[in-house]
């Protein structure tokens, strides 16, 4: 119940800006704002850190992918905003989401 207010994120973060996503094929601003924001962060996180099925990508490749996905997969204005504040967002994300990686880099 406590997550009910955030249901747009898991339900719509696989929608695509161009309408090619799922589950409902929403496009553009039909996609809830929270889901559009989460999609950018989710892509950044998935590409930036190793998974059991793939290694982490180099940071410059991740940022290039976000730029390329703007307007098709991702909201172009939100990608621009994310990249404009990337250093601060990265620092915040590393401190809160990946504390063990931050310590390993120190």
């Amino acid at each position: 119940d406590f997550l009910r207010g955030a249901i747009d994120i898991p339900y719509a973060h696989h929608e695509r800006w161009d309408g090619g996503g799922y589950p409902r094929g929403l496009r553009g601003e039909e996609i809830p704002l929270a889901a559009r924001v989460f999609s950018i962060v989710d892509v950044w996180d998935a590409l930036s850190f190793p998974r059991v099925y793939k290694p982490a990508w180099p940071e410059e490749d991740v940022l290039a992918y976000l730029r390329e996905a703007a307007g098709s997969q991702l909201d172009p204005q939100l990608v621009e905003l994310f990249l404009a504040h990337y250093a601060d967002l990265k620092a915040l994300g590393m401190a809160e989401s990946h504390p063990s990686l931050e310590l390993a880099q120190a």
Side-chain angles (χ1 to χ4, degrees):
D1 283 345
F2 74 95
L3 291 175
R4 192 169 313 281
I7 193 68
D8 286 341
I9 294 171
Y11 191 60
H13 80 281
H14 285 290
E15 300 287 358
R16 292 176 51 103
W17 185 254
D18 64 10
Y22 64 90
R24 295 182 291 168
L26 301 177
R27 74 175 47 243
E29 292 185 4
E30 293 173 346
I31 304 165
L33 178 61
R36 287 183 277 145
V37 170
F38 184 86
S39 294
I40 295 166
V41 176
D42 188 44
V43 169
W44 172 80
D45 184 75
L47 298 177
S48 296
F49 300 95
R51 300 293 195 254
V52 295
Y53 54 86
K54 65 148 202 72
W57 287 19
E59 186 173 42
E60 60 272 6
D61 293 350
V62 174
L63 299 178
Y65 182 87
L66 290 173
R67 286 183 191 96
E68 291 168 16
S72 58
Q73 178 183 355
L74 304 170
D75 179 327
Q77 291 179 331
L78 291 178
V79 169
E80 183 179 331
L81 188 61
F82 178 85
L83 295 174
H85 297 278
Y86 178 67
D88 292 331
L89 292 169
K90 177 184 171 187
L92 188 67
M94 294 296 289
E96 294 183 8
S97 298
H98 300 282
S100 61
L101 291 175
E102 183 180 44
L103 292 175
Q105 294 174 354

